């Protein structure tokens, strides 16, 4: 049972512990239960029209949903050529998300480049601090 503390407006459990608001999620409730009840952060992966090796990635990329992007990138990296990710709407990347990008760049190294287009503040800082652009097979375009 959730109740609101007077004057605060944040939901709490019946024991007074804060309860985080759930974020919108497109997963079916049975899929969420299968993952132990964890809410998967929203991640949207869409093909870019007219560019078969380009994807638009938006939302948050973390350990709970990185495999969604990893599987799409593995399929694209099976054939030679550059892969372009428009990450202008990607708000967050954790270490697993970064690992997916690095692994893809390594797979492409001799046959193409993973191009990350328009990273915004948090993601741009992560790429800068980790010096990701120094990796062969990865390029960041602002």
């Amino acid at each position: 049972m959730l109740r609101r503390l007077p004057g605060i407006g944040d939901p709490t459990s019946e024991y007074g512990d804060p309860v985080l608001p759930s974020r919108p999620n497109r997963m079916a409730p049975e899929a969420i239960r299968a993952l132990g009840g964890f809410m998967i952060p929203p991640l949207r992966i869409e093909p870019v029209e007219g560019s078969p090796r380009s994807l638009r990635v938006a939302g948050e990329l973390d350990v709970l949903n990185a495999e969604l992007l990893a599987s799409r990138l593995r399929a694209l990296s099976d054939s030679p050529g550059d892969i372009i990710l428009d990450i202008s709407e990607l708000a967050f990347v954790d270490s697993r998300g970064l690992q997916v990008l690095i692994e893809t760049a390594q797979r492409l190294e001799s046959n193409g480049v993973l191009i990350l287009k328009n990273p915004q503040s948090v993601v741009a800082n992560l790429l800068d601090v980790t010096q990701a652009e120094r990796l062969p097979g990865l390029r960041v375009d602002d």
Side-chain angles (χ1 to χ4, degrees), residues 12-66:
T12 61
S13 72
E14 60 186 302
Y15 304 106
D17 300 320
V19 175
L20 297 175
S22 62
R23 295 185 282 192
N25 196 310
R26 294 184 183 156
M27 289 186 70
E30 57 274 6
I32 293 170
R33 280 192 295 278
L35 291 167
F38 289 105
M39 288 293 290
I40 306 299
L43 180 68
R44 197 172 70 245
I45 305 168
E46 304 169 339
V48 174
E49 204 169 312
S51 184
R53 295 179 59 84
S54 294
L55 297 173
R56 183 173 295 108
V57 182
E60 299 177 13
L61 177 60
D62 71 10
V63 69
L64 295 175
N65 61 23

Short mmCIF file of all heavy atoms in Angstrom, two decimals, residues 12-66:
data_model
loop_
_atom_site.label_atom_id
_atom_site.label_comp_id
_atom_site.label_asym_id
_atom_site.label_seq_id
_atom_site.Cartn_x
_atom_site.Cartn_y
_atom_site.Cartn_z
N THR A 12 5.34 6.79 -0.47
CA THR A 12 6.14 5.96 0.43
C THR A 12 5.42 4.64 0.63
O THR A 12 4.22 4.52 0.39
CB THR A 12 6.35 6.63 1.80
OG1 THR A 12 5.07 6.83 2.41
CG2 THR A 12 7.07 7.95 1.68
N SER A 13 6.15 3.63 1.09
CA SER A 13 5.52 2.36 1.41
C SER A 13 4.80 2.49 2.74
O SER A 13 4.91 3.51 3.43
CB SER A 13 6.58 1.25 1.51
OG SER A 13 7.34 1.43 2.69
N GLU A 14 4.08 1.46 3.11
CA GLU A 14 3.37 1.51 4.38
C GLU A 14 4.33 1.61 5.57
O GLU A 14 3.93 1.96 6.67
CB GLU A 14 2.46 0.29 4.53
CG GLU A 14 3.21 -1.04 4.51
CD GLU A 14 2.27 -2.22 4.50
OE1 GLU A 14 1.45 -2.35 5.44
OE2 GLU A 14 2.35 -3.00 3.54
N TYR A 15 5.62 1.36 5.33
CA TYR A 15 6.62 1.46 6.39
C TYR A 15 7.33 2.81 6.38
O TYR A 15 8.24 3.04 7.16
CB TYR A 15 7.66 0.34 6.24
CG TYR A 15 7.01 -1.02 6.22
CD1 TYR A 15 6.90 -1.73 5.04
CD2 TYR A 15 6.47 -1.57 7.38
CE1 TYR A 15 6.28 -2.96 5.01
CE2 TYR A 15 5.85 -2.80 7.37
CZ TYR A 15 5.75 -3.50 6.17
OH TYR A 15 5.13 -4.72 6.15
N GLY A 16 6.93 3.69 5.48
CA GLY A 16 7.52 5.02 5.42
C GLY A 16 8.74 5.12 4.53
O GLY A 16 9.35 6.18 4.42
N ASP A 17 9.12 4.02 3.88
CA ASP A 17 10.27 4.06 2.97
C ASP A 17 9.88 4.74 1.67
O ASP A 17 8.77 4.54 1.17
CB ASP A 17 10.76 2.65 2.65
CG ASP A 17 11.20 1.89 3.90
OD1 ASP A 17 11.83 2.52 4.76
OD2 ASP A 17 10.89 0.69 3.99
N PRO A 18 10.78 5.55 1.10
CA PRO A 18 10.43 6.19 -0.18
C PRO A 18 10.28 5.14 -1.28
O PRO A 18 10.98 4.14 -1.30
CB PRO A 18 11.61 7.12 -0.46
CG PRO A 18 12.70 6.69 0.44
CD PRO A 18 12.10 5.91 1.57
N VAL A 19 9.38 5.39 -2.18
CA VAL A 19 9.15 4.52 -3.33
C VAL A 19 9.45 5.35 -4.57
O VAL A 19 8.89 6.42 -4.76
CB VAL A 19 7.69 4.00 -3.37
CG1 VAL A 19 7.45 3.19 -4.62
CG2 VAL A 19 7.40 3.19 -2.13
N LEU A 20 10.36 4.84 -5.39
CA LEU A 20 10.69 5.57 -6.61
C LEU A 20 9.56 5.46 -7.61
O LEU A 20 8.99 4.38 -7.79
CB LEU A 20 11.97 5.01 -7.22
CG LEU A 20 13.23 5.15 -6.36
CD1 LEU A 20 14.39 4.44 -7.04
CD2 LEU A 20 13.55 6.60 -6.11
N PRO A 21 9.23 6.56 -8.26
CA PRO A 21 8.18 6.46 -9.27
C PRO A 21 8.65 5.61 -10.43
O PRO A 21 9.82 5.65 -10.80
CB PRO A 21 7.97 7.92 -9.71
CG PRO A 21 9.22 8.62 -9.32
CD PRO A 21 9.80 7.88 -8.14
N SER A 22 7.76 4.83 -10.97
CA SER A 22 8.15 4.00 -12.11
C SER A 22 8.21 4.86 -13.36
O SER A 22 7.50 5.84 -13.50
CB SER A 22 7.17 2.85 -12.31
OG SER A 22 5.90 3.35 -12.60
N ARG A 23 9.08 4.48 -14.27
CA ARG A 23 9.21 5.19 -15.52
C ARG A 23 8.37 4.48 -16.57
O ARG A 23 8.14 3.28 -16.47
CB ARG A 23 10.67 5.22 -15.94
CG ARG A 23 11.51 6.02 -14.98
CD ARG A 23 12.89 6.12 -15.48
NE ARG A 23 13.58 4.87 -15.21
CZ ARG A 23 14.87 4.71 -15.33
NH1 ARG A 23 15.60 5.70 -15.72
NH2 ARG A 23 15.44 3.57 -15.09
N PRO A 24 7.96 5.21 -17.59
CA PRO A 24 7.21 4.55 -18.65
C PRO A 24 8.03 3.40 -19.24
O PRO A 24 9.23 3.51 -19.39
CB PRO A 24 6.99 5.64 -19.69
CG PRO A 24 7.36 6.91 -19.03
CD PRO A 24 8.20 6.59 -17.84
N ASN A 25 7.36 2.32 -19.55
CA ASN A 25 8.07 1.17 -20.08
C ASN A 25 7.13 0.45 -21.04
O ASN A 25 5.95 0.28 -20.75
CB ASN A 25 8.45 0.25 -18.92
CG ASN A 25 9.49 -0.76 -19.34
OD1 ASN A 25 9.32 -1.43 -20.35
ND2 ASN A 25 10.54 -0.88 -18.58
N ARG A 26 7.68 0.03 -22.14
CA ARG A 26 6.85 -0.64 -23.15
C ARG A 26 6.81 -2.14 -22.94
O ARG A 26 6.16 -2.84 -23.68
CB ARG A 26 7.40 -0.34 -24.54
CG ARG A 26 7.28 1.12 -24.90
CD ARG A 26 7.73 1.35 -26.30
NE ARG A 26 7.67 2.78 -26.57
CZ ARG A 26 8.37 3.38 -27.48
NH1 ARG A 26 9.19 2.71 -28.23
NH2 ARG A 26 8.27 4.67 -27.67
N MET A 27 7.53 -2.65 -21.96
CA MET A 27 7.57 -4.09 -21.74
C MET A 27 6.27 -4.56 -21.09
O MET A 27 5.70 -3.88 -20.25
CB MET A 27 8.74 -4.47 -20.84
CG MET A 27 10.08 -4.31 -21.52
SD MET A 27 11.40 -4.94 -20.50
CE MET A 27 11.08 -6.68 -20.59
N ALA A 28 5.87 -5.73 -21.47
CA ALA A 28 4.69 -6.33 -20.87
C ALA A 28 4.99 -6.71 -19.43
O ALA A 28 6.12 -7.04 -19.09
CB ALA A 28 4.29 -7.57 -21.67
N PRO A 29 3.99 -6.65 -18.55
CA PRO A 29 4.21 -6.99 -17.14
C PRO A 29 4.84 -8.37 -16.94
O PRO A 29 5.67 -8.54 -16.06
CB PRO A 29 2.81 -6.93 -16.54
CG PRO A 29 2.05 -6.01 -17.43
CD PRO A 29 2.63 -6.21 -18.80
N GLU A 30 4.48 -9.34 -17.78
CA GLU A 30 5.06 -10.68 -17.61
C GLU A 30 6.55 -10.69 -17.93
O GLU A 30 7.33 -11.42 -17.34
CB GLU A 30 4.32 -11.74 -18.43
CG GLU A 30 4.24 -11.47 -19.91
CD GLU A 30 3.07 -10.58 -20.33
OE1 GLU A 30 2.35 -10.05 -19.47
OE2 GLU A 30 2.90 -10.40 -21.54
N ALA A 31 6.98 -9.83 -18.85
CA ALA A 31 8.40 -9.72 -19.17
C ALA A 31 9.16 -9.08 -18.01
O ALA A 31 10.27 -9.48 -17.68
CB ALA A 31 8.61 -8.92 -20.44
N ILE A 32 8.56 -8.09 -17.39
CA ILE A 32 9.18 -7.45 -16.24
C ILE A 32 9.31 -8.45 -15.09
O ILE A 32 10.35 -8.54 -14.46
CB ILE A 32 8.38 -6.20 -15.80
CG1 ILE A 32 8.47 -5.13 -16.90
CG2 ILE A 32 8.88 -5.67 -14.47
CD1 ILE A 32 7.54 -3.97 -16.69
N ARG A 33 8.27 -9.24 -14.85
CA ARG A 33 8.33 -10.26 -13.79
C ARG A 33 9.42 -11.27 -14.09
O ARG A 33 10.13 -11.72 -13.20
CB ARG A 33 6.98 -10.94 -13.65
CG ARG A 33 5.97 -10.13 -12.85
CD ARG A 33 4.76 -10.98 -12.49
NE ARG A 33 4.00 -11.39 -13.65
CZ ARG A 33 3.10 -10.63 -14.26
NH1 ARG A 33 2.85 -9.42 -13.83
NH2 ARG A 33 2.44 -11.08 -15.31
N ALA A 34 9.59 -11.63 -15.36
CA ALA A 34 10.61 -12.61 -15.73
C ALA A 34 12.01 -12.09 -15.45
O ALA A 34 12.93 -12.86 -15.23
CB ALA A 34 10.47 -12.97 -17.21
N LEU A 35 12.17 -10.79 -15.42
CA LEU A 35 13.46 -10.19 -15.12
C LEU A 35 13.61 -9.87 -13.64
O LEU A 35 14.42 -9.06 -13.24
CB LEU A 35 13.65 -8.90 -15.93
CG LEU A 35 13.81 -9.13 -17.43
CD1 LEU A 35 13.67 -7.82 -18.18
CD2 LEU A 35 15.16 -9.76 -17.70
N GLY A 36 12.82 -10.50 -12.82
CA GLY A 36 12.92 -10.29 -11.38
C GLY A 36 12.25 -9.02 -10.91
O GLY A 36 12.52 -8.54 -9.82
N GLY A 37 11.38 -8.45 -11.71
CA GLY A 37 10.65 -7.27 -11.30
C GLY A 37 11.37 -5.96 -11.59
O GLY A 37 10.87 -4.91 -11.23
N PHE A 38 12.55 -6.00 -12.20
CA PHE A 38 13.26 -4.77 -12.50
C PHE A 38 12.58 -4.05 -13.66
O PHE A 38 12.21 -4.66 -14.64
CB PHE A 38 14.71 -5.05 -12.89
CG PHE A 38 15.56 -5.51 -11.75
CD1 PHE A 38 15.91 -6.83 -11.62
CD2 PHE A 38 15.99 -4.61 -10.79
CE1 PHE A 38 16.70 -7.26 -10.58
CE2 PHE A 38 16.78 -5.02 -9.74
CZ PHE A 38 17.12 -6.35 -9.63
N MET A 39 12.44 -2.75 -13.53
CA MET A 39 11.95 -1.95 -14.65
C MET A 39 13.13 -1.71 -15.58
O MET A 39 14.20 -1.31 -15.14
CB MET A 39 11.42 -0.61 -14.16
CG MET A 39 10.11 -0.71 -13.41
SD MET A 39 8.75 -1.24 -14.46
CE MET A 39 8.53 0.19 -15.47
N ILE A 40 12.95 -1.97 -16.83
CA ILE A 40 13.99 -1.75 -17.81
C ILE A 40 13.97 -0.27 -18.21
O ILE A 40 12.92 0.25 -18.60
CB ILE A 40 13.76 -2.62 -19.07
CG1 ILE A 40 13.61 -4.08 -18.68
CG2 ILE A 40 14.87 -2.42 -20.08
CD1 ILE A 40 14.79 -4.68 -17.98
N PRO A 41 15.11 0.42 -18.09
CA PRO A 41 15.12 1.83 -18.50
C PRO A 41 14.71 1.95 -19.96
O PRO A 41 15.02 1.08 -20.77
CB PRO A 41 16.58 2.24 -18.31
CG PRO A 41 17.12 1.29 -17.31
CD PRO A 41 16.39 0.00 -17.56
N PRO A 42 14.01 3.00 -20.29
CA PRO A 42 13.54 3.16 -21.66
C PRO A 42 14.70 3.33 -22.64
O PRO A 42 15.60 4.14 -22.41
CB PRO A 42 12.68 4.42 -21.60
CG PRO A 42 13.09 5.13 -20.37
CD PRO A 42 13.64 4.12 -19.44
N LEU A 43 14.69 2.52 -23.67
CA LEU A 43 15.68 2.61 -24.75
C LEU A 43 14.93 2.43 -26.05
O LEU A 43 14.19 1.48 -26.22
CB LEU A 43 16.76 1.53 -24.61
CG LEU A 43 17.84 1.54 -25.69
CD1 LEU A 43 18.72 2.79 -25.56
CD2 LEU A 43 18.69 0.29 -25.61
N ARG A 44 15.13 3.37 -26.96
CA ARG A 44 14.47 3.29 -28.26
C ARG A 44 15.55 3.14 -29.32
O ARG A 44 16.50 3.91 -29.36
CB ARG A 44 13.65 4.57 -28.48
CG ARG A 44 12.63 4.46 -29.56
CD ARG A 44 11.70 5.67 -29.60
NE ARG A 44 12.40 6.84 -30.07
CZ ARG A 44 12.63 7.94 -29.34
NH1 ARG A 44 12.22 8.01 -28.10
NH2 ARG A 44 13.28 8.98 -29.85
N ILE A 45 15.41 2.12 -30.15
CA ILE A 45 16.36 1.87 -31.24
C ILE A 45 15.55 1.82 -32.52
O ILE A 45 14.68 0.97 -32.68
CB ILE A 45 17.10 0.53 -31.03
CG1 ILE A 45 17.79 0.49 -29.66
CG2 ILE A 45 18.10 0.30 -32.16
CD1 ILE A 45 18.28 -0.88 -29.28
N GLU A 46 15.83 2.76 -33.42
CA GLU A 46 15.06 2.84 -34.66
C GLU A 46 16.00 2.93 -35.85
O GLU A 46 17.04 3.60 -35.78
CB GLU A 46 14.19 4.10 -34.66
CG GLU A 46 13.25 4.21 -33.49
CD GLU A 46 12.60 5.58 -33.39
OE1 GLU A 46 13.13 6.56 -33.96
OE2 GLU A 46 11.57 5.66 -32.72
N PRO A 47 15.65 2.28 -36.95
CA PRO A 47 16.46 2.45 -38.16
C PRO A 47 16.29 3.86 -38.70
O PRO A 47 15.24 4.47 -38.53
CB PRO A 47 15.89 1.41 -39.12
CG PRO A 47 14.54 1.08 -38.59
CD PRO A 47 14.53 1.38 -37.13
N VAL A 48 17.33 4.37 -39.32
CA VAL A 48 17.25 5.68 -39.97
C VAL A 48 16.84 5.44 -41.40
O VAL A 48 17.49 4.69 -42.13
CB VAL A 48 18.61 6.42 -39.89
CG1 VAL A 48 18.57 7.71 -40.68
CG2 VAL A 48 19.00 6.67 -38.44
N GLU A 49 15.75 6.06 -41.78
CA GLU A 49 15.20 5.85 -43.12
C GLU A 49 16.21 6.22 -44.20
O GLU A 49 16.89 7.25 -44.13
CB GLU A 49 13.94 6.72 -43.28
CG GLU A 49 13.00 6.18 -44.33
CD GLU A 49 11.66 6.89 -44.28
OE1 GLU A 49 11.10 7.03 -43.18
OE2 GLU A 49 11.20 7.28 -45.36
N GLY A 50 16.36 5.34 -45.18
CA GLY A 50 17.25 5.59 -46.30
C GLY A 50 18.70 5.25 -46.03
O GLY A 50 19.56 5.46 -46.87
N SER A 51 18.99 4.75 -44.84
CA SER A 51 20.37 4.40 -44.50
C SER A 51 20.36 3.05 -43.77
O SER A 51 20.14 2.99 -42.57
CB SER A 51 20.98 5.49 -43.61
OG SER A 51 22.32 5.22 -43.36
N PRO A 52 20.59 1.97 -44.50
CA PRO A 52 20.42 0.63 -43.94
C PRO A 52 21.36 0.28 -42.80
O PRO A 52 21.08 -0.62 -42.02
CB PRO A 52 20.64 -0.30 -45.13
CG PRO A 52 21.41 0.50 -46.12
CD PRO A 52 21.03 1.93 -45.89
N ARG A 53 22.47 0.99 -42.67
CA ARG A 53 23.43 0.69 -41.59
C ARG A 53 23.48 1.81 -40.56
O ARG A 53 24.49 2.06 -39.94
CB ARG A 53 24.81 0.42 -42.18
CG ARG A 53 24.80 -0.86 -43.04
CD ARG A 53 26.13 -1.16 -43.65
NE ARG A 53 27.21 -1.34 -42.71
CZ ARG A 53 27.51 -2.49 -42.09
NH1 ARG A 53 26.76 -3.55 -42.29
NH2 ARG A 53 28.54 -2.56 -41.28
N SER A 54 22.34 2.49 -40.39
CA SER A 54 22.25 3.58 -39.42
C SER A 54 21.09 3.33 -38.47
O SER A 54 20.01 2.90 -38.89
CB SER A 54 22.02 4.92 -40.12
OG SER A 54 23.13 5.26 -40.90
N LEU A 55 21.35 3.63 -37.19
CA LEU A 55 20.31 3.50 -36.16
C LEU A 55 20.24 4.78 -35.35
O LEU A 55 21.26 5.43 -35.12
CB LEU A 55 20.64 2.34 -35.21
CG LEU A 55 20.68 0.93 -35.77
CD1 LEU A 55 21.19 -0.04 -34.71
CD2 LEU A 55 19.31 0.52 -36.26
N ARG A 56 19.05 5.12 -34.92
CA ARG A 56 18.84 6.23 -33.99
C ARG A 56 18.59 5.59 -32.63
O ARG A 56 17.69 4.77 -32.48
CB ARG A 56 17.66 7.08 -34.41
CG ARG A 56 17.43 8.29 -33.55
CD ARG A 56 16.33 9.20 -34.12
NE ARG A 56 16.74 9.76 -35.41
CZ ARG A 56 16.24 9.38 -36.59
NH1 ARG A 56 15.29 8.48 -36.67
NH2 ARG A 56 16.66 9.93 -37.71
N VAL A 57 19.42 5.96 -31.63
CA VAL A 57 19.33 5.38 -30.30
C VAL A 57 18.97 6.50 -29.33
O VAL A 57 19.65 7.53 -29.28
CB VAL A 57 20.66 4.72 -29.88
CG1 VAL A 57 20.52 4.07 -28.52
CG2 VAL A 57 21.09 3.70 -30.93
N ALA A 58 17.90 6.31 -28.56
CA ALA A 58 17.44 7.34 -27.63
C ALA A 58 17.07 6.71 -26.29
O ALA A 58 16.70 5.54 -26.22
CB ALA A 58 16.22 8.05 -28.22
N GLY A 59 17.20 7.49 -25.25
CA GLY A 59 16.83 7.03 -23.91
C GLY A 59 18.05 6.79 -23.05
O GLY A 59 18.98 7.60 -23.03
N GLU A 60 18.05 5.65 -22.36
CA GLU A 60 19.14 5.28 -21.46
C GLU A 60 19.66 3.90 -21.83
O GLU A 60 18.89 2.96 -21.96
CB GLU A 60 18.64 5.28 -20.01
CG GLU A 60 18.13 6.63 -19.55
CD GLU A 60 17.59 6.59 -18.14
OE1 GLU A 60 17.82 5.59 -17.42
OE2 GLU A 60 16.92 7.55 -17.76
N LEU A 61 20.98 3.80 -21.96
CA LEU A 61 21.62 2.54 -22.32
C LEU A 61 22.37 2.04 -21.10
O LEU A 61 23.35 2.67 -20.68
CB LEU A 61 22.57 2.76 -23.49
CG LEU A 61 23.40 1.58 -23.97
CD1 LEU A 61 22.51 0.42 -24.43
CD2 LEU A 61 24.34 2.01 -25.08
N ASP A 62 21.88 0.95 -20.50
CA ASP A 62 22.56 0.43 -19.31
C ASP A 62 22.51 -1.09 -19.28
O ASP A 62 22.05 -1.73 -20.23
CB ASP A 62 22.02 1.07 -18.04
CG ASP A 62 20.62 0.62 -17.69
OD1 ASP A 62 20.09 -0.32 -18.31
OD2 ASP A 62 20.04 1.22 -16.76
N VAL A 63 22.98 -1.65 -18.19
CA VAL A 63 23.13 -3.10 -18.06
C VAL A 63 21.81 -3.84 -18.28
O VAL A 63 21.82 -4.98 -18.75
CB VAL A 63 23.78 -3.46 -16.70
CG1 VAL A 63 22.82 -3.16 -15.55
CG2 VAL A 63 24.24 -4.90 -16.67
N LEU A 64 20.70 -3.21 -17.97
CA LEU A 64 19.41 -3.89 -18.10
C LEU A 64 18.88 -3.94 -19.53
O LEU A 64 18.00 -4.75 -19.83
CB LEU A 64 18.37 -3.23 -17.18
CG LEU A 64 18.66 -3.35 -15.69
CD1 LEU A 64 17.64 -2.55 -14.89
CD2 LEU A 64 18.68 -4.80 -15.26
N ASN A 65 19.39 -3.09 -20.41
CA ASN A 65 18.86 -3.10 -21.78
C ASN A 65 19.94 -3.10 -22.85
O ASN A 65 19.64 -3.08 -24.04
CB ASN A 65 17.90 -1.93 -22.00
CG ASN A 65 18.57 -0.59 -21.81
OD1 ASN A 65 19.77 -0.46 -21.94
ND2 ASN A 65 17.78 0.42 -21.51
N ALA A 66 21.21 -3.14 -22.45
CA ALA A 66 22.31 -3.05 -23.42
C ALA A 66 22.29 -4.19 -24.44
O ALA A 66 22.70 -4.01 -25.59
CB ALA A 66 23.65 -3.03 -22.69
#
